Amino acid sequence: AQSVTQLGSHVSVSEGALVLLRCNYSSSVPPYLFWYVQYPNQGLQLLLKYTSAATLVKGINGFEAEFKKSETSFHLTKPSAHMSDAAEYFCAVSDPLATGANSKLTFGKGITLSVRP
Amino acid sequence: EAQVTQNPRYLITVTGKKLTVTCSQNMNHEYMSWYRQDPGLGLRQIYYSMNVEVTDKGDVPEGYKVSRKEKRNFPLILESPSPNQTSLYFCASSSPRGRAYEQYFGPGTRLTVT
């Protein structure tokens, strides 16, 4: 079974500061990994994804994440936070070889990012 | 525009009154899924469908039904809603067949059962 751990439920940063949202995964096979963002009163939007190509993945809105197999991590970063980054962020994992019931996304519990002026 | 649509976006109902939340996608995706989102629990899969007439339970299927008669539509049915089904519901679709690659999400349906 796969799982995702997002430690903490809330992160607060100042505008212009580094954003670091942590994600650790558990998987018995090389996984596919995703970060989704949910703005208030909206659905989930894909930020970026790792599908076994480059380990450093660049996404939309200046975000990037690095897949580190040795640490089973896929942390999300952005060099300089903007007020518009305030949202909830979800890390998710899937098994690229799975079919049937196992072909699904398993989500972490999410982290709310607040950005202070 | 590629999208997943859900209706209604907001729904308040009473215990026991049957309801249906519709989901439709225009991307010809084989795989569709329903999730519920609850504070502190993230998203949990309710049901999924690999293709037309092929559906199966996810992690929290109790109290829900689905059908997949057409490729584009995947309605969620609550035959006798209860207050513990008050939640935010998302429909999602993806391709290629059977693989949970990038999933596209609808805007969500906020359901309140009193």
Side-chain angles (χ1 to χ4, degrees), chain B residues 34-49:
Chain B
W34 276 102
Y35 296 87
R36 61 177 289 174
Q37 182 183 8
D38 301 289
L41 297 178
L43 280 82
R44 295 176 292 168
Q45 190 182 53
I46 303 170
Y47 268 94
Y48 67 95
S49 170

Side-chain angles (χ1 to χ4, degrees), chain A residues 32 34 36 38 41-44 46 49 88 90 94 96 98 100-101 103-105 107-109, chain B residues 9 31 35 37 40-43 45 48 50 59 88 90 98-103 105-107:
Chain A
Y32 284 179
F34 306 81
Y36 281 86
Q38 183 181 27
N41 297 315
Q42 294 188 26
L44 277 73
L46 183 69
K49 62 183 176 183
E88 190 162 16
F90 292 92
S94 75
S103 57
K104 66 176 184 179
L105 285 176
F107 285 86
K109 295 182 178 181
Chain B
R9 293 289 312 278
Y31 184 93
Y35 296 87
Q37 182 183 8
L41 297 178
L43 280 82
Q45 190 182 53
Y48 67 95
M50 305 291 287
D59 297 319
L88 180 58
F90 289 102
R99 306 292 170 86
Y101 288 174
E102 176 181 346
Q103 292 199 12
F105 284 80

Side-chain angles (χ1 to χ4, degrees), chain B residues 85-96:
Chain B
Q85 293 178 297
T86 293
S87 187
L88 180 58
Y89 292 87
F90 289 102
C91 180
S93 72
S94 70
S95 191

